[in-house]
Amino acid sequence: MSEPVAGPVRTAVNPVVRGFAPDPSVIRVGDWYYLATSSFEWFPTIPLYRSRGLADWEPAGAVDTAAPGRSLLGVPDSGGIWAPALSHANGVFWVVYSIVRSLGTRHFDLETYLCTASDVGGPWSEPVRVPGHGFDPSLLHHDGRHYLLNLQNDSRVGGRRFDGIVLTELEVPFADGVPGRVRAVGPTRLLLQRDELVEGPKITVHDGWFYLLLAQGGTGVEHGVLVARSRSLTGPYEVDDVPLLTSRDDPAVPLQKAGHGELVQTPSGEWYLTHLASRPLQTMAGPRNTLGRETAVQRVVWTDGWPRLAQDGWHPVSEVEVPAVTATATAVGQADDQRRGGLDVAPGWPWSTLREPPGDWVEKLPTSPDEPARVRVRGRQSAESLWQQSLLAQRLTEHHAEVEVTVDAEPTTFTQSAGLMLWYDTTSYYQLHVTWTEPEGEPQAGQQWAGGEGRRVLVLTHGHPDGARILATVDLPGGPVRLRARIDGATARLSSASGDGPWTQVGPDVDFSELSDDFGPRLRFTGAMVGISAVDLVDGTFTADFSAWSLRPRV
């Protein structure tokens, strides 16, 4: 039986950051805890959160300078910014991370970067290249020196892409508070090498030991947290006989894929572990995690010199006692108007964009106080583009939700469209768009040039790794149209309504579970999003106006 938490307590309900928020890195500075998560191909890059007591987390900005030139254009789905690691030293916040530009290759074609800030809310410095050996970097600041931990990738033909954990001392000069050219000092040292896959290294110094926390077994259902320790920073490291955390041996544990953890100590001396986890849906195709990988917290105690979960064993639990604080933060991922917002908060959090920040393709329109907020979106490339998509999206945070928006658009060609998007990536999506098509009974033959003939229609398109297909085409009258999606676990139903008319279902119920990490032939690392988008494949001038946005979890 573990010792009780000192002082008053409250219950943290996992996940504490809900929806797509993987690879959490946590630190405490004074009375505040700060958290960074992976953003992959999405902007804002490296979302940041803060909490006074580990239970409730609020947005704290983002490392908006993380992508050089503010661009991730062309990076593959689930590429981009992986596993940022936060730290704090000499009064400065540091974040180190990798940008992965190739997937499914032996090289990953990545760069490792460092950004710093005197305040977590920014401004953050421009990224500085760091000499890294693979993804999942982290920094240890110890005895006035800076050390980079890295997964080592042996990219040679026949090499191992997960070939151990290495340590490199860094020299980081500062001028006017901004880091200069970073260089390695001395040799890179191999700390640990195992037959099983280990990555995500973090070092915690405690009671004269260096504790090396490792993500093991990949980021799927075999995921976990393994611990090794040494009296010397450079090793040798002794590996614990049991995992600190995993759910791989019991599919009934509510929090699956548990792994990629980091330790943090409270002001009163308790220890906690933040980690990623998923809440699977059980489907005919097996477990699927539409919400992606989320952030959870577990209490940790020290037993015989090793960190152990306070609840005994290694399974994560859904409710954890944490110290109560007098000032609580706004919960992240809950159904409050401040968090969910409306289109009046675009283009800021909780809205996200693909591969670049919002630009001149999205504009907030002036409205009177009694009018709903509106934005105008200018169409650009298609839903299958890795480049310039005009998509504004929000994370889905619960398995049951309803999303609704009104779109006002008058396309005159099949190359123009706008509407609602249920999104995972360029190969998995449901797009409900207002567009143009030929007159009834005529083939797809470019008739938009024949004197304005044709029909304004609503088209439901299903993006799939095997190729997109049309699920429904519905004629539309003129004027604004309301669009809605009701998400019930593994199923979604899309509907439309004109003016104040009734809702009418568009197409069949769709398999929403395809918008998950677990669908398709390749690795995927993000989570389901819902949003609005516009397309113009000819000259990028077509616009659509959106209003009355809502995203509400459903009980």
Side-chain angles (χ1 to χ4, degrees):
M1 193 74 176
S2 64
E3 295 182 2
V5 178
V9 300
R10 62 167 302 187
T11 299
V13 178
N14 283 317
V16 290
V17 182
R18 305 170 84 82
F20 163 35
D23 309 321
S25 175
V26 67
I27 60 173
R28 180 178 60 82
V29 180
D31 292 331
W32 284 97
Y33 301 91
Y34 297 97
L35 188 76
T37 65
S38 293
S39 50
F40 297 95
E41 67 266 37
W42 289 96
F43 280 72
T45 48
I46 312 182
L48 301 170
Y49 306 88
R50 69 177 188 172
S51 174
R52 290 290 299 274
L54 295 168
D56 296 326
W57 293 82
E58 65 181 5
V63 185
D64 54 5
T65 60
R70 312 300 186 269
S71 174
L72 292 172
L73 294 176
V75 302
D77 294 326
S78 291
I81 295 178
W82 285 19
L86 267 180
S87 57
H88 189 263
N90 305 325
V92 173
F93 289 90
W94 307 56
V95 64
V96 64
Y97 55 95
S98 293
I99 297 181
V100 175
R101 301 190 184 275
S102 296
L103 285 179
T105 73
R106 51 193 171 84
H107 292 97
F108 291 101
D109 296 312
L110 59 80
E111 310 105 40
T112 299
Y113 290 100
L114 167 70
C115 294
T116 63
S118 59
D119 183 273
V120 77
W124 287 86
S125 68
E126 292 298 314
V128 176
R129 185 77 181 265
V130 175
H133 294 267
F135 55 80
D136 285 8
S138 68
L139 288 173
L140 172 67
H141 310 281
H142 184 65
D143 287 343
R145 300 159 78 176
H146 312 295
Y147 299 90
L148 177 75
L149 287 139
N150 242 167
L151 170 124
Q152 177 177 236
N153 174 31
D154 185 346
S155 61
R156 296 172 294 182
V157 174
R160 299 199 315 170
R161 293 190 296 169
F162 299 84
D163 200 28
I165 305 301
V166 296
L167 179 82
T168 307
E169 185 176 354
L170 300 179
E171 181 182 82
V172 187
F174 277 81
D176 298 323
V178 176
R181 180 176 177 267
V182 178
R183 69 182 188 90
V185 178
T188 292
R189 300 175 183 272
L190 180 66
L191 298 189
L192 188 70
Q193 202 169 45
R194 293 174 64 83
D195 290 337
E196 68 177 328
L197 187 159
V198 289
E199 54 189 326
K202 306 284 196 308
I203 283 183
T204 297
V205 182
H206 174 63
D207 198 21
W209 290 92
F210 295 90
Y211 288 90
L212 176 62
L213 268 70
L214 300 166
Q216 68 175 148
T219 195
V221 294
E222 296 299 312
H223 209 22
V225 177
L226 188 68
V227 181
R229 69 180 184 179
S230 174
R231 288 292 188 183
S232 168
L233 173 60
T234 56
Y237 280 83
E238 169 196 6
V239 178
D240 196 358
D241 292 333
V242 297
L244 173 58
L245 175 80
T246 188
S247 47
R248 63 187 173 195
D249 59 333
D250 188 352
V253 173
L255 298 175
Q256 287 290 306
K257 299 187 178 182
H260 200 108
E262 186 163 17
L263 292 169
V264 67
Q265 189 177 22
T266 71
S268 55
E270 289 90 12
W271 287 83
Y272 286 85
L273 176 80
T274 60
H275 64 94
L276 67 80
S278 289
R279 293 176 283 162
L281 293 166
Q282 301 304 322
T283 76
M284 295 294 290
R288 287 183 174 171
N289 296 272
T290 55
L291 304 180
R293 296 166 302 149
E294 308 172 277
T295 291
V297 62
Q298 306 294 326
R299 188 174 173 226
V300 167
V301 296
W302 295 89
T303 304
D304 299 327
W306 293 101
R308 297 276 190 262
L309 296 185
Q311 62 264 28
D312 296 328
W314 45 78
H315 292 161
V317 292
S318 298
E319 295 188 351
V320 178
E321 282 194 346
V322 298
V325 292
T326 55
T328 57
T330 302
V332 174
Q334 304 302 314
D336 64 312
D337 290 340
Q338 181 180 358
R339 167 63 169 78
R340 303 317 305 164
L343 284 169
D344 56 321
V345 300
W349 188 262
W351 294 96
S352 293
T353 54
L354 280 171
R355 297 179 174 84
E356 60 180 349
D360 60 4
W361 53 270
V362 56
E363 173 190 6
K364 181 179 176 181
L365 298 176
T367 57
S368 64
D370 58 346
E371 287 183 305
R374 295 186 299 151
V375 294
R376 177 164 293 163
V377 179
R378 178 169 57 82
R380 298 184 300 165
Q381 295 177 358
S382 74
E384 297 176 11
S385 172
L386 299 178
W387 299 86
Q388 294 182 321
Q389 284 202 45
S390 296
L391 170 65
L392 284 166
Q394 293 186 3
R395 286 157 170 76
L396 191 68
T397 60
E398 302 299 339
H399 287 129
H400 300 272
E402 183 171 287
V403 57
E404 185 177 330
V405 72
T406 297
V407 57
D408 190 356
E410 295 295 336
T412 58
T413 162
F414 62 85
T415 60
Q416 300 170 343
S417 70
L420 181 65
M421 184 74 80
L422 309 184
W423 180 266
Y424 187 90
D425 64 15
T426 62
T427 68
S428 297
Y429 60 86
Y430 294 99
Q431 176 182 277
L432 185 61
H433 266 208
V434 179
T435 187
W436 179 99
T437 194
E438 286 80 4
E440 185 73 37
E442 292 201 11
Q444 295 183 179
Q447 295 298 313
Q448 76 271 26
W449 296 299
E453 297 176 4
R455 297 177 290 153
R456 182 175 181 259
V457 291
L458 190 61
V459 175
L460 175 57
T461 305
H462 176 201
H464 190 279
D466 294 335
R469 62 192 181 110
I470 301 299
L471 300 183
T473 300
V474 178
D475 283 341
L476 283 179
V481 57
R482 291 181 289 147
L483 304 178
R484 183 178 73 185
R486 299 188 70 174
I487 300 161
D488 288 297
T491 301
R493 176 171 297 178
L494 293 107
S495 304
S496 69
S498 295
D500 295 327
W503 289 102
T504 302
Q505 183 171 346
V506 180
D509 289 357
V510 300
D511 184 357
F512 191 77
S513 76
E514 290 187 8
L515 309 189
S516 74
D517 298 349
D518 317 282
F519 176 75
R522 58 175 178 78
L523 293 174
R524 314 206 297 186
F525 302 131
T526 55
M529 311 279 278
V530 294
I532 58 176
S533 64
V535 173
D536 184 345
L537 302 178
V538 174
D539 61 6
T541 61
F542 166 74
T543 62
D545 292 353
F546 293 88
S547 60
W549 167 270
S550 66
L551 171 56
R552 301 180 298 273
R554 296 174 57 237
V555 179

